[in-house]
Amino acid sequence: MQYYFETSCLDLKQTLESGQCFRWKKSGDGDSYIGISGKHILKITQTDGGAVMEMNDEAETDFWLRYFDCETDYDSVIRQFSADKVLKEAAEENRGIRILRQEPFETLISFIISQNNNIPRIIGIIDRLCENFGEKVTSPFGDMYSFPSAGKLASLSADDLSPLRAGFRTRYILDAANKVNSGTVDLEKIYGMSYDDGKAYLKTITGVGDKVADCVLLFAYHKTEAFPSDVWIKRVVAEYYSDGLPECMGEYKGIAQQYLFEYFRKRTNV
DNA sequence: GAACAGGTGAAGT
DNA sequence: ACTTCACCTGTT
């Protein structure tokens, strides 16, 4: 089943290789990606004015449209950002970035794994986590493994997780899985919480600090007030925004963060 | 509150 | 080869 949709501000490479998600693989030509969320597998291909989605079941269309955040008017956000010179340039260069709406538990564990780590290795650990403890899902594009549930992970020991080679993060993964599985932390509740409350709540999990909490609030719950402050962004803020973030970021600091992150990372690497 | 340790491997030299 | 450092957090 194929579904074509038109939309502005969606660039698959910019979005899926931005470091907010870790389970999309480039397919063949380079304009296509295959990924999994929950038990849904999608092949998505970039077109000029949108994208083509291929999936098992037509009923998954709405799931994926939501995942790719098709409700948010990015053109309007970018217009709003144009009041700040640096942000305007960063946004225009990266106008195809979307903030995905990912599954909370997967996002939580993924960003716990991301701490003090590099992206290729993060992807490796998550792949091993899914292959070892997820469920096999079949699709016309090949078999994939779902992200393991909190219940499954909570049943495991640090020893069981040793094949991941996640290092000191292993005990953080287990603490998160146990708290979610036992209901000590109810991830569903966070949808209805304020940014501040959600952040404090997430930080009750060992291994979740400001940065990881902000990433989860932004990339799973779409709380765009979150402004994940990593080593790159700290430099940018120190250089351009030492007196505070610009007014025009408004309630979309998290979207601004992504534009700035990409903009400056690109330049530093060159 | 600043300094430091904590897996592992990618990237830089 | 050898060192640094990676979208960080918990503990001195």
Side-chain angles (χ1 to χ4, degrees):
Chain A
M1 142 76 199
Q2 278 202 1
Y3 181 86
Y4 168 73
F5 66 104
E6 288 188 19
T7 186
S8 60
C9 302
L10 174 59
D11 183 288
L12 295 179
K13 185 179 170 61
Q14 285 183 350
T15 298
L16 300 177
E17 296 181 25
S18 65
Q20 62 175 305
C21 54
F22 305 99
R23 303 216 59 209
W24 290 89
K25 312 280 179 211
K26 232 186 199 128
S27 164
D29 44 26
D31 286 337
S32 295
Y33 291 83
I34 296 172
I36 180 166
S37 180
K39 295 285 163 59
H40 311 300
I41 294 178
L42 181 75
K43 179 174 181 182
I44 185 164
T45 304
Q46 185 80 52
T47 63
D48 282 340
V52 181
M53 304 198 290
E54 296 171 69
M55 61 204 115
N56 282 333
D57 182 355
E58 186 174 2
E60 297 172 343
T61 308
D62 288 346
F63 172 85
W64 287 113
L65 289 174
R66 180 181 174 281
Y67 181 95
F68 283 99
D69 193 29
C70 292
E71 297 291 294
T72 302
D73 183 355
Y74 284 83
D75 286 301
S76 145
V77 173
I78 292 168
R79 237 176 286 126
Q80 176 182 322
F81 285 172
S82 66
D84 182 86
K85 200 163 187 278
V86 174
L87 181 54
K88 175 185 162 77
E89 201 171 316
E92 282 172 0
E93 186 172 295
N94 297 288
R95 55 168 40 251
I97 297 180
R98 290 279 173 98
I99 307 293
L100 302 173
R101 293 176 188 264
Q102 301 181 73
E103 200 283 315
F105 183 67
E106 169 171 350
T107 309
L108 170 63
I109 300 296
S110 296
F111 280 94
I112 285 173
I113 290 169
S114 81
Q115 66 184 81
N116 196 212
N117 215 339
N118 57 60
I119 290 176
R121 194 165 163 261
I122 296 165
I123 293 172
I125 294 170
I126 294 174
D127 280 346
R128 291 190 288 276
L129 178 69
C130 297
E131 282 163 21
N132 280 285
F133 307 111
E135 288 173 39
K136 190 187 252 192
V137 183
T138 60
S139 84
F141 323 113
D143 294 346
M144 299 184 86
Y145 289 87
S146 66
F147 199 90
S149 67
K152 174 68 188 178
L153 292 184
S155 74
L156 303 171
S157 67
D159 217 36
D160 295 326
L161 292 183
S162 61
L164 305 185
R165 283 166 278 147
F168 62 90
R169 304 163 193 84
T170 298
R171 72 184 187 92
Y172 301 160
I173 296 171
L174 288 175
D175 185 63
N178 285 129
K179 287 196 165 99
V180 171
N181 182 238
S182 68
T184 308
V185 170
D186 181 353
L187 293 178
E188 286 303 308
K189 275 190 187 159
I190 297 178
Y191 284 108
M193 287 185 184
S194 69
Y195 163 69
D196 287 327
D197 290 349
K199 187 162 177 172
Y201 193 54
L202 283 169
K203 284 173 70 176
T204 62
I205 296 166
T206 311
V208 177
D210 286 320
K211 164 62 168 55
V212 171
D214 276 331
C215 286
V216 176
L217 290 167
L218 183 59
F219 301 133
Y221 297 98
H222 213 266
K223 298 209 183 285
T224 54
E225 312 95 297
F227 188 83
S229 190
D230 57 71
V231 56
W232 296 94
I233 285 294
K234 278 179 186 151
R235 279 175 220 153
V236 175
V237 170
E239 184 162 355
Y240 295 94
Y241 303 116
S242 54
D243 297 327
L245 297 176
E247 202 60 33
C248 69
M249 283 188 188
E251 58 186 312
Y252 300 114
K253 294 191 190 68
I255 301 181
Q257 193 269 12
Q258 285 292 286
Y259 295 148
L260 291 169
F261 180 81
E262 275 308 311
Y263 184 78
F264 286 98
R265 190 179 64 161
K266 226 170 272 172
R267 275 158 187 71
T268 314
N269 281 350
V270 175

